[in-house]
Amino acid sequence: MHRRSRSLLALLLTSGLLVAACSSGNDSTDSTATSSTSSAESSALVPLDSAAIDAIVDEKAKEFRQVGMVVLIKTPDGEYVNTWGSTELGGTTPPTLDTKVRIGSNTKTWTGTVILQMVQEGKISVDDPVSKYRPDVPNGDNITIGQLLDMRSGLYNYTQTLELNRALDEQPERVWQPEELVALGLSNPPTSPPGAEYNYSNTNTVLLGLIAEKLDGKPIAEIYQNRLFSPLGLENTSFPANTDTSIPSPYTAGYSYSGNVETLGEGKEALSPERIAAIDAGTVTPRTTTNDNPSWTWSAGQGISTANDIATWVKALGSGELLGAETQQLRIDSVQPSDANGTAAYGYGIAQMGPMYGHIGEMPGYNSFMGYDPANDVTFVVWGNLAPTVDGTAPAAMVAKELIPYVYAGPPAATSNDVGEHSDDAGK
């Protein structure tokens, strides 16, 4: 899941979403939140054409072999909802906006938000060295809390290790402790010096979860509940115990054709032509991942939510509802280009996708996209229950990309080839 993050975020950040944000003609290569929000202010919205959007969702859901999919779009002019397919293979129960799913790396936005709440409470600073809280982190004197938040610490991503991926294939029920995950990451050499470059790493977010527990003196689940879920009324959102592999009802099952080791490594995301042919012929069926233990993701990806709750959450995230104005501005100002072209952007536990702020989440069997455009008050939520696709892409993110031209006026419809052929994981 999280091992493919860089390309999964780039999937949307370099696609039609960014073009939509720039439809005002602003050709600056600065991908800060300020420039994108400014561009979004002059982006026109188009009336939601339900029939046309239905056709795209149906086409793409079938193309990506989804069992079930939910799309929720909210604009000042109306709302679009599509609850496509079924919650289980061979079933007849359609999903709803209150069907629970595993949200993968969208959980990172929770962790980033509670850390920033603690920043405004004076408990921690984004400029503090991580060694102040975790003396065991190599070179921790030179890695800041801010660099953990914005994926520029250089710490190795533990979900890229063969040890973890082999265990996920052979022991999907295994219970992982956060300290085990951190140890996996820290046992590998860093990918770059601190602050040198963007490198999506789940090690960062698990460390932040442990630091949050230390500062608040509470388990991370209780921290999320007290600081995020209760204030926003997110009654169908939860963070399960490490030993809990269930999803509260009503939920959707998750499915995947891909093994973890077989798709580990650059260029190996897609299944072989022979496997794909067998899938097409019906001789290979997907594995059910619903009750795989998600503890290997912890504060980087273990959350459960619904389309309705995700919509509430991402709007609060993008508008800064749970942060003071100064802290929200700190977060927005942290968003920096995460690729050499300056087209993808990431900040303090938040991704910028054109005019939208949000994230993408993926783990075996589940993929979700969430975005909120504060300038135009647009909310986008998509989830699918078979992930990744056989060619390694992120189905929900790709559907969101395809639907952008049906929300924003301008040229994004001509940018479908800009998206990249595979996801790298923004959820894993």
Side-chain angles (χ1 to χ4, degrees), residues 39-56:
S39 300
E41 288 172 355
S42 56
S43 296
L45 301 180
V46 297
L48 296 176
D49 183 339
S50 294
I53 299 175
D54 281 347
I56 294 297

Side-chain angles (χ1 to χ4, degrees), residues 412-428:
T415 65
S416 59
N417 291 331
D418 296 344
V419 177
E421 295 302 317
H422 53 78
S423 73
D424 134 326
D425 156 7
K428 276 187 177 182

Side-chain angles (χ1 to χ4, degrees), residues 397-414:
M398 291 296 287
V399 168
K401 189 271 297 186
E402 292 290 336
L403 296 181
I404 288 301
Y406 296 88
V407 178
Y408 290 92

